[in-house]
Amino acid sequence: MNRWLVRGFILVSASGLLPAMSMAQDGNVDQAREALARQEGDEDATRQLEEVFQAAEKNYSLQKKGTHSLNYSFDYSYTGDQRLDLAITNGSVRNLDVVPTATHNFTNAFSYDYGLLDNLTVGTRIPLVVKYDTEDELSVYDFGDISFTGRWQPFAYVPGKVSTTFFGTLTSKTGVSPYEIDIKEQLSTGSGYYSIGGGLSMSKVLDPVVVFGSVSATYNIEEDGLEQVRGARLLTKVEPGFGLSGSAGFAYSLSYDISLSISAQLSYSDETVLTFRNGDQAVAQDQMTGFLSMSLGTRVSDTTIVNTSLGIGLTEDAPDFSLGVSLPINFSGLKE
């Protein structure tokens, strides 16, 4: 029952933010946007959202030794905002414009898990990202950041006791980097740097309810040797901050065929420092993101459960809402 009741692992790679405001010094709007460091194409909130969906697919009953599983998920998120463009010269506002914006993000992901041992599972996730920005009418179709995960249960599950799982993840920079594109003409699909994360999750079955919680931390590796034009300056190095995340929730079995789960996630992203060739630095401030996720598991056959989910942003930096669906892919060669 745990395999389809429990949703809520959080593997967080925290980074940048999707700014809603730009400001300029010296009367240059482009330099104002540059000063905010993280542009509209950066992968911060969207990437965190994808990880919420990815975490929802993990369960507390790991793969048996020598067995495989392959899952497909489709996730959509919408972020609407308003940008304030202004130029300030000698203390006077010379230009002011409020522009509504919206970003649509579609992610198709394939997740593969293999049981090395009964209590040790390794896996990978390959996302394919489609993104569209309504204000600038920009779009991108490409791979996202491929991640590799490991999950380990040190103790065998005992009915009525708390089940503990340790997890770790390595996230690549295979997606289109926000620090290697023309920020006026292109969108990104990745974070632009490698990250390493790990954490602990716990669950307890109180039939017909399962309660669960998770904490994790992420270290983002700085990226050097860049040559991205931002306004009148050349970006050469990015130092992304660390990330922390926590989540908690419960799953309830409505019947043998239907289950409902609700979880809340809170993530913290440290500030990111961007260094330019002339020695200037721009700092994107730290960020707190809250998200509420509700999902419904529906058994459509003896071996297949389809999960649908709805997410609602709880903070300004989180996406407004999200929709998702996931299901296992059964091949004869991957049958247990």
Side-chain angles (χ1 to χ4, degrees), residues 230-243:
R230 293 202 173 198
R233 297 183 291 183
L234 190 68
L235 177 66
T236 59
K237 185 170 70 171
V238 176
E239 300 174 72
F242 65 90

Side-chain angles (χ1 to χ4, degrees), residues 18-222:
L18 301 176
M21 175 179 293
S22 301
M23 63 174 52
Q25 309 293 332
D26 306 325
N28 189 312
V29 174
D30 290 335
Q31 289 182 354
R33 287 176 175 168
E34 169 198 347
L36 285 182
R38 301 182 193 176
Q39 306 293 329
E40 303 89 74
D42 293 5
E43 277 302 287
D44 174 51
T46 299
R47 183 176 175 185
Q48 290 183 351
L49 178 62
E50 290 177 6
E51 287 161 352
V52 173
F53 284 125
Q54 178 185 1
E57 303 312 313
K58 304 304 180 184
N59 54 68
Y60 296 91
S61 297
L62 304 185
Q63 292 290 126
K64 298 297 183 182
K65 181 179 179 180
T67 62
H68 313 254
S69 71
L70 181 64
N71 287 272
Y72 165 77
S73 63
F74 171 80
D75 307 315
Y76 164 76
S77 65
Y78 170 85
T79 303
D81 220 325
Q82 290 184 334
R83 295 179 193 160
L84 176 64
D85 289 342
L86 58 96
I88 302 176
T89 304
N90 297 325
S92 301
V93 176
R94 300 297 185 185
N95 182 35
L96 178 63
D97 188 20
V98 179
V99 181
T101 66
T103 301
H104 304 269
N105 193 88
F106 305 85
T107 302
N108 294 275
F110 295 88
S111 301
Y112 170 77
D113 287 319
Y114 176 73
L116 286 178
L117 301 171
D118 286 344
N119 66 339
L120 178 62
T121 296
V122 295
T124 185
R125 180 176 184 268
I126 303 175
L128 305 172
V129 178
V130 178
K131 184 185 292 186
Y132 179 69
D133 186 309
T134 59
E135 184 205 4
D136 299 321
E137 295 187 352
L138 301 177
S139 61
V140 64
Y141 314 87
D142 213 312
F143 281 97
D145 289 339
I146 297 175
S147 60
F148 304 90
T149 62
R151 288 173 287 150
W152 174 56
Q153 287 183 328
F155 309 107
Y157 170 71
V158 177
K161 302 295 183 179
V162 175
S163 177
T164 302
T165 302
F166 293 91
F167 57 87
T169 180
L170 169 65
T171 303
S172 69
K173 56 175 185 177
T174 50
V176 178
S177 172
Y179 309 113
E180 297 179 359
I181 60 175
D182 183 341
I183 58 179
K184 297 180 182 179
E185 302 293 337
Q186 297 173 290
L187 298 175
S188 65
T189 62
S191 64
Y193 45 79
Y194 290 97
S195 61
I196 303 173
L200 165 70
S201 62
M202 295 180 291
S203 67
K204 185 174 182 179
V205 178
L206 303 171
D207 201 12
V209 175
V210 178
V211 293
F212 54 85
S214 176
V215 292
S216 65
T218 302
Y219 174 73
N220 301 308
I221 301 174
E222 73 175 44

Side-chain angles (χ1 to χ4, degrees), residues 292-335:
L292 177 68
S293 179
M294 296 167 284
S295 59
L296 186 70
T298 305
R299 183 181 295 276
V300 296
S301 73
D302 290 340
T303 59
T304 302
I305 296 173
V306 177
N307 295 295
T308 56
S309 60
L310 169 66
I312 301 172
L314 302 178
T315 61
E316 182 179 356
D317 296 320
D320 293 345
F321 74 90
S322 61
L323 299 171
V325 60
S326 66
L327 68 158
I329 300 176
N330 296 318
F331 291 113
S332 58
L334 292 178
K335 287 184 178 179

Side-chain angles (χ1 to χ4, degrees), residues 34 179 225-237 274-281:
E34 169 198 347
Y179 309 113
L226 302 172
E227 294 184 351
Q228 184 188 50
V229 177
R230 293 202 173 198
R233 297 183 291 183
L234 190 68
L235 177 66
T236 59
K237 185 170 70 171
L274 280 73
T275 303
F276 300 89
R277 175 164 292 179
N278 62 0
D280 291 347
Q281 289 188 331

